[in-house]
Amino acid sequence: MASIWILLLFMEPVFSATVVEDLANLHPPPDFNTIITSNCLRNPSLRYCGSSPMDLDTIFKFTIVASHLCNESKNPNCVETFPKINLRNRPKIAPLYLSFDFFWKYCPLTVVSIDLSNNSLKGTFPIDVLFCTQMQALDLSHNGLTGDVPIQSLSPLTNLTVLNLSYNHFSEAKISDSRFLKRYPSCFFQSGIIPSHHRYKIKAMMLLLGFPLVVVFMVGCLWWLCFRRPDYLPGLLRNKHRFTPAMLKVATNGFSKKNIVGKCEGSVTYRGVLRDGTQVRVEIYLDSNNSRDKCHRKYVEECKVLVQLCHKNLVLVYGWCSNRNMRALVTEWIGRVSVDVWLSETGPSWKHRFKVLVGVLKALCYLQDQWPEIGCDVKTNSVLLHENGEPLIARFRVGEDSIAKKIHRFGVFMLEMMTDRTLQDEFEGNEAGFVEYVKMVYPGKLQKVVDEKMKLTENTLDQARQTLYVGLMCADHQTCRELSFGQIYNMITKVHSRIR
């Protein structure tokens, strides 16, 4: 073998920089056949000596690759010996040398160590390196090799004592079930993987036990997200109008008494903050009829209508909560000030009261025109007042009221807006008596019932008298049947056309 490398050293001036170019450009010298024959006579164990007839071109290529690889591996004296192939951390050239199958076929007998680690090699085990049957150490660690380890092909390598296959993706199960570990007990332990049968069983048990637990956990999480806290889901994956008891409980700080802003027969109203920071008004109904599926479906259908309402004098309905334990409506937060409180505490002028009357009337006209099936609670203690002075109807009902009943309620609201609070307190709980009393004193003794805080002038007194007359028409159970909200709006605006 040494004589071949000596021959190549004499050819050094014509060698190019790369092994690929040398393989393409160099040709065997005239006496190459003689050199090969002489080598085989001296050492018949050389691998190329067993071939008959000998392929001189392939043997010559083998000598070129051997010379380059010996120098790439930094062997101290390539003329005399070639003890190691060291391509550690050489990802650019390691795959190239592995592709020269003719080199590995005639692998030099002096090679005892092969290091191909840390080269990001892909694919299966590089079986050609096993032609070097005399090697004592093989390192293929820190690559991306996959598949089975060729156990049968490794068996004849009786000199192999160090084998490092760590940090690859070989199949461990097959190794664990073979006698291979018994022959090489130290190679895997020292290299960082322990593909033992016991460990494989542990992994299998962990998978068998862990997978169902993961599934149960994931199902539990999905159930929690879908049925308790859908506000954690992306907007595209949830119904933005459907709220759950858990969401409302968090929003109202556990339905804290500090968050209660109103109580009335059959409901409690809370102030709350949703997860996204939106302030809301949560009205929870105390009846238990929602336990029946029919009632539940009816309430949900009603709420689906309410969330579509859009008018500046109607509170925005965000959504609903409906299950066997709770029925609630979630609307925008306006504040705690109702028209009733506003009238009592501030004593607003006639002009401001008129603005509120017109705002409520516009909302009723919108509902009658666009959503005739929707009724609302038009009372001074249920109509809210925005900070900009606009009134907002906050309580609704679906499919219960006739147009005559809606007009009657608005008529009573008009009378409450204009009359003295002391008079209203006297007739508390007796709506019919209140309306009859106002009708009795109208128009001659009007000053007995109107609120003095309005500070009416001669001009505004006449406007108030005519407005009160319209209110009495609406509050009358007979007359209200002949009216519409459109007609009422025309009468009110005509009477007060001079108000700025």
Side-chain angles (χ1 to χ4, degrees):
M1 196 67 177
S3 58
I4 295 179
W5 291 332
I6 293 172
L7 173 64
L8 291 176
L9 288 173
F10 286 125
M11 299 168 61
E12 189 75 26
V14 297
F15 270 21
S16 61
T18 67
V19 64
V20 175
E21 291 176 343
D22 283 350
L23 288 172
N25 299 325
L26 295 179
H27 303 284
D31 58 344
F32 188 70
N33 186 21
T34 304
I35 295 173
I36 293 298
T37 302
S38 175
N39 283 342
C40 288
L41 290 174
R42 287 197 303 270
N43 190 359
S45 62
L46 294 174
R47 288 190 169 87
Y48 56 75
C49 295
S51 58
S52 180
M54 288 188 294
D55 186 347
L56 296 181
D57 287 336
T58 302
I59 296 174
F60 184 72
K61 290 179 180 180
F62 155 72
T63 61
I64 294 175
V65 173
S67 178
H68 277 274
L69 187 53
C70 184
N71 286 286
E72 290 284 1
S73 301
K74 302 188 183 324
N75 286 288
N77 188 0
C78 289
V79 176
E80 297 296 333
T81 186
F82 186 175
K84 64 178 180 179
I85 296 175
N86 184 5
L87 294 178
R88 178 182 179 83
N89 200 24
R90 306 289 296 277
K92 292 185 178 180
I93 65 171
L96 174 65
Y97 281 104
L98 280 174
S99 68
F100 296 142
D101 55 346
F102 56 84
F103 167 77
W104 300 103
K105 180 181 177 181
Y106 298 143
C107 178
L109 296 174
T110 56
V111 173
V112 293
S113 174
I114 300 177
D115 189 349
L116 298 171
S117 61
N118 202 27
N119 282 306
S120 301
L121 298 176
K122 305 296 181 183
T124 58
F125 190 101
I127 196 71
D128 285 343
V129 300
L130 301 186
F131 281 113
C132 300
T133 55
Q134 77 288 346
M135 65 179 167
Q136 300 172 8
L138 174 61
D139 191 346
L140 295 174
S141 61
H142 294 278
N143 285 298
L145 301 174
T146 58
D148 294 331
V149 176
I151 297 171
Q152 293 183 350
S153 300
L154 284 165
S155 298
L157 277 62
T158 56
N159 295 322
L160 183 61
T161 56
V162 177
L163 178 61
N164 193 344
L165 304 178
S166 60
Y167 304 103
N168 283 284
H169 307 291
F170 293 121
S171 173
E172 296 183 16
K174 190 171 181 180
I175 300 174
S176 300
D177 293 336
S178 71
R179 298 179 181 178
F180 185 68
L181 275 182
K182 296 179 181 179
R183 180 174 175 185
Y184 302 105
S186 62
C187 55
F188 292 98
F189 287 89
Q190 294 176 354
S191 60
I193 63 172
I194 310 176
S196 64
H197 187 65
H198 177 67
R199 182 180 177 185
Y200 181 72
K201 279 187 175 181
I202 293 176
K203 287 184 176 181
M205 290 297 294
M206 290 178 63
L207 182 62
L208 289 174
L209 295 175
F211 181 73
L213 292 176
V214 170
V215 171
V216 170
F217 176 76
M218 293 299 294
V219 170
C221 288
L222 287 174
W223 178 87
W224 186 82
L225 286 171
C226 294
F227 296 102
R228 290 188 61 84
R229 295 302 302 274
D231 50 329
Y232 279 95
L233 291 171
L236 295 175
L237 299 180
R238 64 183 177 93
N239 183 347
K240 65 178 182 178
H241 300 303
R242 187 177 71 85
F243 293 85
T244 65
M247 292 170 62
L248 299 184
K249 184 176 182 180
V250 173
T252 59
N253 194 23
F255 301 113
S256 170
K257 292 182 179 180
K258 295 180 180 180
N259 286 51
I260 295 177
V261 294
K263 285 184 178 181
C264 64
E265 185 178 355
S267 69
V268 179
T269 305
Y270 293 86
R271 179 179 183 177
V273 181
L274 299 181
R275 183 170 173 268
D276 62 1
T278 303
Q279 295 192 65
V280 293
R281 183 184 183 91
V282 181
E283 186 172 5
I284 299 177
Y285 303 102
L286 304 178
D287 61 85
S288 58
N289 291 334
N290 209 46
S291 59
R292 290 176 291 179
D293 290 340
K294 185 177 180 180
C295 294
H296 164 74
R297 289 194 298 269
K298 180 183 177 183
Y299 179 69
V300 171
E301 291 303 317
E302 292 174 355
C303 292
K304 287 181 179 179
V305 175
L306 296 181
V307 296
Q308 300 179 62
L309 299 179
C310 183
H311 191 275
K312 71 174 184 176
N313 296 113
L314 299 175
V315 295
L316 183 63
V317 179
Y318 289 136
W320 65 88
C321 171
S322 181
N323 65 12
R324 293 182 179 274
N325 302 318
M326 180 181 290
R327 192 161 61 99
L329 191 68
V330 182
T331 62
E332 66 176 322
W333 172 257
I334 299 301
R336 301 190 183 195
V337 179
S338 65
V339 171
D340 185 54
V341 173
W342 176 63
L343 291 171
S344 300
E345 295 182 355
T346 64
S349 67
W350 165 243
K351 182 178 179 179
H352 290 155
R353 298 186 194 213
F354 171 76
K355 179 181 178 181
V356 171
L357 282 174
V358 172
V360 172
L361 184 56
K362 285 181 179 179
L364 293 171
C365 289
Y366 164 79
L367 290 175
Q368 188 59 38
D369 182 50
Q370 301 293 329
W371 306 94
E373 72 274 23
I374 297 179
C376 52
D377 190 1
V378 183
K379 295 180 181 178
T380 54
N381 61 358
S382 60
V383 176
L384 302 177
L385 203 66
H386 197 277
E387 58 184 12
N388 61 8
E390 287 288 345
L392 290 130
I393 297 175
R395 303 188 71 185
F396 307 92
R397 58 178 67 88
V398 179
E400 295 183 3
D401 296 341
S402 64
I403 177 64
K405 190 178 289 186
K406 295 175 184 177
I407 292 175
H408 168 76
R409 285 178 177 162
F410 178 66
V412 175
F413 177 76
M414 291 178 67
L415 299 181
E416 291 176 342
M417 286 286 294
M418 301 173 64
T419 55
D420 187 84
R421 303 298 299 171
T422 305
L423 177 65
Q424 295 180 40
D425 293 340
E426 291 179 5
F427 287 94
E428 185 177 359
N430 184 9
E431 182 182 283
F434 169 68
V435 173
E436 287 301 319
Y437 181 81
V438 175
K439 187 184 298 185
M440 182 180 66
V441 301
Y442 180 86
K445 300 179 181 180
L446 185 63
Q447 291 183 343
K448 279 189 174 184
V449 295
V450 297
D451 190 352
E452 295 179 354
K453 295 179 182 178
M454 290 192 294
K455 298 179 181 180
L456 297 173
T457 64
E458 183 178 346
N459 181 44
T460 56
L461 178 62
D462 183 61
Q463 294 170 356
R465 181 183 295 110
Q466 295 182 58
T467 303
L468 200 63
Y469 174 73
V470 175
L472 288 171
M473 287 178 60
C474 296
D476 185 82
H477 286 288
Q478 296 298 324
T479 311
C480 68
R481 300 176 186 275
E482 303 172 5
L483 297 174
S484 68
F485 281 115
Q487 292 173 324
I488 298 169
Y489 182 78
N490 290 334
M491 287 189 287
I492 291 294
T493 54
K494 184 177 181 180
V495 170
H496 300 281
S497 58
R498 288 178 293 172
I499 293 182
R500 297 292 182 266

